[in-house]
Amino acid sequence: MMARFSVTYWLDAPNADEARQRASDIALEQTVEIPRDIVPAGYVEDEILGRVEDVRPGTDERGGFLAEVSYSDDDVGGDFLQLLNVVFGNSALKTATRVEAMTLTDAIGAICPGPRYGSEGLRLRTGRSTGPILMSAIKPVGLRTRELADLAHQFALGGMDMIKDDHGLANQHTSPFSERLNACVDAVGEANAKSGFNTVYVPNITGPANQILDHAFEAQEAGAGAVMLAPALVGLDVARTLSADPAFALPIVSHPTFGGANVITPTTGFSHGYYFGLLSRLMGVDAVVYPNFGGRFGFSEAECRSIADHCSMPFGNLKAILPAPGGGMKLESVPAMREVYGDDVIYLVGGALLREKVDLPGACRRLIDAVRR
Amino acid sequence: MMARFSVTYWLDAPNADEARQRASDIALEQTVEIPRDIVPAGYVEDEILGRVEDVRPGTDERGGFLAEVSYSDDDVGGDFLQLLNVVFGNSALKTATRVEAMTLTDAIGAICPGPRYGSEGLRLRTGRSTGPILMSAIKPVGLRTRELADLAHQFALGGMDMIKDDHGLANQHTSPFSERLNACVDAVGEANAKSGFNTVYVPNITGPANQILDHAFEAQEAGAGAVMLAPALVGLDVARTLSADPAFALPIVSHPTFGGANVITPTTGFSHGYYFGLLSRLMGVDAVVYPNFGGRFGFSEAECRSIADHCSMPFGNLKAILPAPGGGMKLESVPAMREVYGDDVIYLVGGALLREKVDLPGACRRLIDAVRR
């Protein structure tokens, strides 16, 4: 028998018997997808068919049950997308079913080497060995490359550790990708030469499926310090492919755009911790952007805390990564964020800083002082 | 000014004023993503910023409002993933917000040539000029290539028009992709030589991000009649890239695995019609698999009817495509399905046929007779 990994699903069910039946349905649906009574005896039934390992009552306000189902490495066959298909393929089409946790096997570790940098590696690269890391974003879409590069320059002079593209910056005629990439790398490099900081520019990687990996390598060759991509748009294997490629040596930041439906209903999709924490680490992402509590999105403090926990909890041999909460952060948010996240966090501050027309570097320094106080 | 396309969102709001405010928030979030009062005057404000065009009361049991927001072609910049990011990027992280409809521009048409085959092309390729098309699936995972190819052979002898891989078939050691591809192409070809049918084999395309397009081309070179892929896993630009590539000449079937959270909550994500119908056509998909009403998933008859409607309604110059409802279809389902779908449909029948151990081709013929009666 091959090693088995297990996935824990939250299920709504009126009693344990029905919960067990629902778990058996999932075990069938996620593997053989044929009626139970015609599953071939022997290898298919013994090895490939999912197996209900445990069903226990839920532990939060949703009630319901937690069901643990195990799957064989043989069902995955070395393919990351097939792993995700086993974890939550067709069953994602069902209501009252949510992925909460999973365990790993050596075979999954072989597919998913995990984040190349993780929290520690990002600290080495940015030179920020302690305390929160600060990241800002150049925007909005529609500014010309010169204007965006100037913003990057000022953010870098102000001491921000990472400066990312807005996730809407693609290849618009006002700022084509290659032009912006090179201009911002230069602008941040010039600022670093003046300031002595190691500020890192993080371009947004998007584009046609047959060019997207090339864009990431172009960013590396141009001297970017990391790349950002949106897994829900570019596909769930792009970050993993890059992080597993010895020729690619940049940290990867993930952006949550387009993927929101996977988490925002508490009884479907994935738990916040699984989706933003564990899945990001499986994909080889080093820092994960998501909407902070108290901003303009509806994530709760508990959900955000869970994301941070899942970014660093033991998970096979996969490195801990940094949560990067954003979405409406202001100076006033700092005390509450410090309470929840401690030091192992990237503060993503966008719009609030862009208000500062007169002295953007000064505004950055005030923010940094408040965060590192 | 550039041409503008519009997206219609369903919004929950207690009154029209708040609905209008929420629509303005979306217009901001989806484009410039900075506070309204610091949006640069001129080009960014006039062209890039989303614009609320209309807010009207909702028309179904959800109540709420329908808000139409227009966006500039310049914001998309020729990138399909950025188009999707404008349609529903960060706003997908909000509850009580659902994408219902959109209009197209010439610039979107240039990015998205749409399905190469569509309904009519699939009929030409399968030789099934009238009536429903029938598709079955070889499974389960864990069978050896010889067994899967034998199933394909029998399905083809029985007159099924299309035979697809189960979406869990990847590169497992029991049936590696290339081995299965060639064996099934041969098995179906031999059956066609005996039967005179034009049955088409449809392999499942998955794999690492740097190989997935190659796998599709390998399928074409091996003589497959179409390919199947799961957009929520492989990424939303893979089908579009293939359908827009003059060197790729196979129809594309999409599978809904992993993407369920995008539709199953009626107040978040995308309407069934948008997600399975319009988005599939934008991606260049020729036939879209989704769970039928009355099977083991919870889609309603109305939702399925809406999917079928959106597969064929006028939508720019994009061809009509075929809905392929599956997921627990039985002989008894045929009358209800005929009522909803008429002739322009692919009946996807998997497990029910696999019950037939003695005379699988005979079971196929009985099903076909029932469907075409």
Side-chain angles (χ1 to χ4, degrees), chain A residues 165-318:
Chain A
D165 278 350
D166 180 62
H167 70 283
L169 288 169
N171 199 34
Q172 291 93 352
H173 69 78
T174 40
S175 183
F177 171 70
S178 300
E179 178 186 288
R180 182 174 71 254
L181 169 64
N182 288 291
C184 289
V185 166
D186 288 350
V188 170
E190 287 163 20
N192 283 344
K194 292 182 209 169
S195 68
F197 297 136
N198 293 306
T199 300
V200 155
Y201 169 59
V202 189
N204 180 39
I205 303 299
T206 178
N210 55 1
Q211 295 174 29
I212 198 134
L213 295 168
D214 294 343
H215 288 178
F217 278 97
E218 182 181 343
Q220 171 170 293
E221 279 147 34
V227 293
M228 180 174 77
L229 52 78
L233 287 171
V234 303
L236 297 171
D237 198 69
V238 171
R240 191 209 60 82
T241 292
L242 288 170
S243 69
D245 187 338
F248 190 75
L250 295 185
I252 299 170
V253 177
S254 72
H255 194 281
T257 185
F258 203 83
N262 287 301
V263 299
I264 55 171
T265 303
T267 54
T268 62
F270 300 84
S271 73
H272 289 70
Y274 185 96
Y275 188 77
F276 290 111
L278 303 189
L279 180 55
S280 295
R281 292 162 75 187
L282 283 172
M283 292 192 294
V285 161
D286 300 284
V288 52
V289 174
Y290 62 90
N292 194 31
F293 62 94
R296 53 184 200 279
F297 297 90
F299 284 25
S300 72
E301 185 179 315
E303 287 160 351
C304 290
R305 198 182 286 270
S306 172
I307 293 170
D309 288 347
H310 284 75
C311 283
S312 59
M313 70 196 300
F315 189 45
N317 295 319
L318 304 185

Side-chain angles (χ1 to χ4, degrees), chain A residues 29 33 37 74-75 79 82 85 89 139 166-168 172-173 206-209 233 236-237 257-258 296 355, chain B residues 29 33 37 74-75 79 82 85 89 139 166-168 172-173 206-209 233 236-237 257-258 296 355:
Chain A
E29 185 72 49
E33 215 200 325
D37 59 303
D74 265 11
D75 200 353
D79 183 319
Q82 168 62 4
N85 183 48
K139 53 185 174 182
D166 180 62
H167 70 283
Q172 291 93 352
H173 69 78
T206 178
L233 287 171
L236 297 171
D237 198 69
T257 185
F258 203 83
R296 53 184 200 279
R355 265 185 202 294
Chain B
E29 186 71 49
E33 215 199 325
D37 58 303
D74 265 10
D75 199 354
D79 183 320
Q82 168 61 3
N85 184 48
K139 52 185 173 182
D166 179 62
H167 70 283
Q172 290 93 352
H173 70 77
T206 178
L233 287 170
L236 297 172
D237 198 69
T257 185
F258 203 83
R296 52 184 202 279
R355 266 184 200 295

Side-chain angles (χ1 to χ4, degrees), chain A:
Chain A
M1 302 291 284
M2 301 295 294
R4 296 180 80 83
F5 60 97
S6 74
V7 179
T8 301
Y9 303 90
W10 175 86
L11 303 173
D12 193 20
N15 56 57
D17 281 350
E18 286 196 36
R20 184 165 289 274
Q21 182 55 52
R22 289 210 55 211
S24 296
D25 291 346
I26 289 174
L28 200 69
E29 185 72 49
Q30 293 304 110
T31 56
V32 294
E33 215 200 325
I34 54 177
R36 178 66 185 88
D37 59 303
I38 61 169
V39 174
Y43 175 76
V44 176
E45 183 172 41
D46 298 340
E47 181 75 45
I48 295 296
L49 179 62
R51 197 181 296 160
V52 180
E53 303 285 355
D54 186 44
V55 175
R56 56 189 188 275
T59 56
D60 61 26
E61 67 284 358
R62 292 172 301 178
F65 291 85
L66 292 170
E68 192 182 329
V69 179
S70 75
Y71 302 104
S72 167
D73 282 342
D74 265 11
D75 200 353
V76 173
D79 183 319
F80 182 57
L81 297 181
Q82 168 62 4
L83 169 64
L84 298 180
N85 183 48
V86 169
V87 169
F88 206 45
N90 277 1
S91 292
L93 290 152
K94 296 199 170 185
T95 53
T97 309
R98 186 162 167 103
V99 174
E100 301 279 331
M102 78 180 286
T103 63
L104 300 181
T105 59
D106 290 346
I108 296 176
I111 307 169
C112 303
R116 182 187 301 269
Y117 292 92
S119 307
E120 288 184 27
L122 278 174
R123 289 195 179 283
L124 282 174
R125 266 189 98 86
T126 55
R128 188 65 57 197
S129 55
T130 59
I133 290 176
L134 278 103
M135 176 157 66
S136 54
I138 55 173
K139 53 185 174 182
V141 172
L143 294 188
R144 281 163 293 178
T145 293
R146 184 176 48 72
E147 299 168 295
L148 293 165
D150 183 57
L151 281 176
H153 187 77
Q154 294 188 61
F155 279 137
L157 282 181
M160 302 302 286
D161 301 300
M162 302 173 78
I163 299 165
K164 75 173 190 65
D165 278 350
D166 180 62
H167 70 283
L169 288 169
N171 199 34
Q172 291 93 352
H173 69 78
T174 40
S175 183
F177 171 70
S178 300
E179 178 186 288
R180 182 174 71 254
L181 169 64
N182 288 291
C184 289
V185 166
D186 288 350
V188 170
E190 287 163 20
N192 283 344
K194 292 182 209 169
S195 68
F197 297 136
N198 293 306
T199 300
V200 155
Y201 169 59
V202 189
N204 180 39
I205 303 299
T206 178
N210 55 1
Q211 295 174 29
I212 198 134
L213 295 168
D214 294 343
H215 288 178
F217 278 97
E218 182 181 343
Q220 171 170 293
E221 279 147 34
V227 293
M228 180 174 77
L229 52 78
L233 287 171
V234 303
L236 297 171
D237 198 69
V238 171
R240 191 209 60 82
T241 292
L242 288 170
S243 69
D245 187 338
F248 190 75
L250 295 185
I252 299 170
V253 177
S254 72
H255 194 281
T257 185
F258 203 83
N262 287 301
V263 299
I264 55 171
T265 303
T267 54
T268 62
F270 300 84
S271 73
H272 289 70
Y274 185 96
Y275 188 77
F276 290 111
L278 303 189
L279 180 55
S280 295
R281 292 162 75 187
L282 283 172
M283 292 192 294
V285 161
D286 300 284
V288 52
V289 174
Y290 62 90
N292 194 31
F293 62 94
R296 53 184 200 279
F297 297 90
F299 284 25
S300 72
E301 185 179 315
E303 287 160 351
C304 290
R305 198 182 286 270
S306 172
I307 293 170
D309 288 347
H310 284 75
C311 283
S312 59
M313 70 196 300
F315 189 45
N317 295 319
L318 304 185
K319 288 179 181 153
I321 65 174
L322 286 178
M329 187 190 159
K330 300 182 181 127
L331 258 182
E332 308 87 85
S333 322
V334 171
M337 292 181 74
R338 183 184 290 130
E339 165 68 24
V340 167
Y341 296 112
D343 280 350
D344 279 331
V345 63
I346 297 176
Y347 284 173
L348 172 55
V349 196
L353 282 173
L354 293 168
R355 265 185 202 294
E356 306 290 334
K357 307 274 181 196
V358 179
D359 180 17
L360 183 52
C364 291
R365 282 189 287 266
R366 286 193 296 279
L367 177 75
I368 292 167
D369 287 347
V371 167
R372 302 237 166 81
R373 185 185 309 152

Side-chain angles (χ1 to χ4, degrees), chain B residues 67-90:
Chain B
E68 192 182 328
V69 179
S70 75
Y71 302 105
S72 167
D73 282 343
D74 265 10
D75 199 354
V76 173
D79 183 320
F80 182 56
L81 297 181
Q82 168 61 3
L83 170 64
L84 298 180
N85 184 48
V86 169
V87 169
F88 206 44
N90 278 0

